[in-house]
Amino acid sequence: MYLEPGTWEDAESLVGTVIAEQVGADPVNAPMVRQYLESLEWDSAAWNDPGDGLAPMAPSAMYMTFGMPAYWGPGDPPLPDGSLAPFPFGRVPAPGSTMMATQTDVTFAAPLRDGDRLHATWRLVGVTRKTLAIGDGAFLDFETTYRNQADEVVAVERTSTFRYEPVTPDDE
Amino acid sequence: MTSERRDDALRIGAKIAPVSIHLTFQRMVMIASANRDFAPIHIDREYARRSGADDAYTNMMFVMGLMQRTVESWLPGARLTALKQLRMTAFNRVDDVVTCRGVVHAVDAGGEVAAELWLETSPERKTAVATASISVRDVAD
């Protein structure tokens, strides 16, 4: 993951601000839902959309999939091998060459319906400096609100990450 | 579902029916493709080993999906409304048989259930834990 270099003061100055707005590459659609259910061997009539556009048709757990931008689009340079999912966790300028998620809270506020186009607002909500056994760094807390095309909130996720410089044998 | 069976499922301490899935490498690729997370740690076994893991492993989206599948297979009409303090505590790796289990902690009169959910690859090895909020208002008597 690319991590924007900077200082802890840079990161702290962004607390409370929107760091990214993203639009999902694909609307909620039956073929992707079917493939998702297949991958988990999930046999459920709950996701058989009657076609009225009102019944939920995708498991709520797919909110990140349908809120994810494309890895590549027309006009973009070739995608480098090994690219990660295009989420903006690394866009906060800060020290530390490594980042990992430590905890997630998510609330599913509304169903995912056929044709929904999700957009996500990413906000940095906390920076807490901490030294752990794995290295010196800080917890960066993100709150991401996923809305559909009617601006209805479908999911709110709060993820804590730890960004740090790993301890090397020379440091010990 | 009979009213007795529903009440038995919704008592404090009741176990949520477990769901297991065998993570063959083929399935891991299917999961990564379906949730669109193509990070090499999920689909490249050599890359994952070079990064320090035992093998390729699944992501948070897999954990959430298996938890939702477990809750909503347990009681028809039950709906997962939130996962709190969700943490991955170990990797779900190629060839692991991952089981999602749960225990009911609280039931309120409004039809909301609080439950502990976890994934494990053996009774001694939990790979993810969370506190779930589950709506059972639409579960038939």
Side-chain angles (χ1 to χ4, degrees):
Chain A
M1 176 189 294
Y2 171 76
L3 297 177
E4 183 74 25
T7 66
W8 293 124
E9 288 74 19
D10 292 335
E12 286 160 353
S13 74
L14 294 177
V15 171
T17 68
V18 172
I19 60 151
E21 301 264 9
Q22 294 189 321
V23 179
D26 301 296
V28 176
N29 67 88
M32 286 176 67
V33 173
R34 190 205 66 74
Q35 290 165 22
Y36 180 83
L37 299 175
E38 176 184 59
S39 76
L40 294 176
E41 297 182 349
W42 188 344
D43 178 7
S44 172
W47 312 120
N48 293 330
D49 181 27
D52 60 6
L54 297 176
M57 71 158 294
S60 300
M62 293 191 77
Y63 72 97
M64 276 193 277
T65 299
F66 287 119
M68 188 186 298
Y71 282 71
W72 178 92
D76 286 349
L79 187 70
D81 188 29
S83 294
L84 303 183
F87 291 129
F89 290 108
R91 290 192 194 173
V92 175
S97 61
T98 303
M99 189 175 204
M100 63 178 184
T102 58
Q103 182 170 298
T104 295
D105 290 356
V106 60
T107 299
F108 304 120
L112 299 176
R113 300 185 178 93
D114 190 16
D116 276 356
R117 175 77 73 172
L118 302 193
H119 58 277
T121 302
W122 291 73
R123 196 177 295 273
L124 180 70
V125 294
V127 176
T128 308
R129 294 194 222 183
K130 188 84 174 174
T131 299
L132 302 178
I134 55 174
D136 184 40
F139 287 98
L140 305 185
D141 298 326
F142 298 86
E143 185 174 275
T144 309
T145 303
Y146 292 81
R147 294 181 173 85
N148 61 22
Q149 65 286 351
D151 229 24
E152 179 184 24
V153 174
V154 297
V156 179
E157 176 195 282
R158 189 169 179 132
T159 294
S160 291
T161 65
F162 188 60
R163 181 153 162 184
Y164 65 105
E165 196 56 47
V167 172
T168 64
D170 293 342
D171 297 329
E172 295 176 321
Chain B
M1 172 170 289
T2 65
S3 182
E4 269 180 37
R5 192 173 154 207
R6 181 185 189 276
D7 291 346
D8 188 53
L10 294 178
R11 64 185 164 75
I12 294 170
K15 292 180 179 174
I16 292 173
V19 169
S20 296
I21 193 163
H22 183 195
L23 290 177
T24 62
F25 184 62
Q26 181 183 45
R27 180 159 309 286
M28 305 240 330
V29 172
M30 290 173 71
I31 290 168
S33 179
N35 66 35
R36 294 193 52 75
D37 182 352
F38 301 106
I41 49 176
H42 305 312
I43 55 173
D44 184 336
R45 305 181 72 174
E46 283 307 312
Y47 181 98
R49 288 175 185 136
R50 284 199 305 273
S51 76
D54 298 339
D55 208 327
Y57 54 92
T58 59
N59 66 359
M60 186 69 89
M61 288 190 262
F62 164 77
V63 172
M64 289 183 184
L66 192 57
M67 286 182 168
Q68 187 177 6
R69 179 189 157 188
T70 302
V71 164
E72 298 184 6
S73 302
W74 167 55
L75 285 177
R79 188 166 53 84
L80 181 68
T81 57
L83 290 168
K84 302 293 182 185
Q85 297 181 304
L86 173 56
R87 290 182 293 116
M88 292 171 65
T89 53
F91 295 139
N92 296 301
R93 307 154 302 192
V94 176
D95 272 338
D96 279 340
V97 175
V98 181
T99 300
C100 182
R101 299 182 186 276
V103 174
V104 172
H105 277 182
V107 183
D108 73 18
E112 292 294 322
V113 172
E116 179 187 358
L117 295 178
W118 68 92
L119 270 54
E120 64 183 32
T121 57
S122 72
E124 298 78 31
R125 187 172 184 272
K126 286 186 179 179
T127 58
V129 295
T131 300
S133 297
I134 304 165
S135 170
V136 295
R137 280 191 288 270
D138 295 331
V139 174
D141 285 331

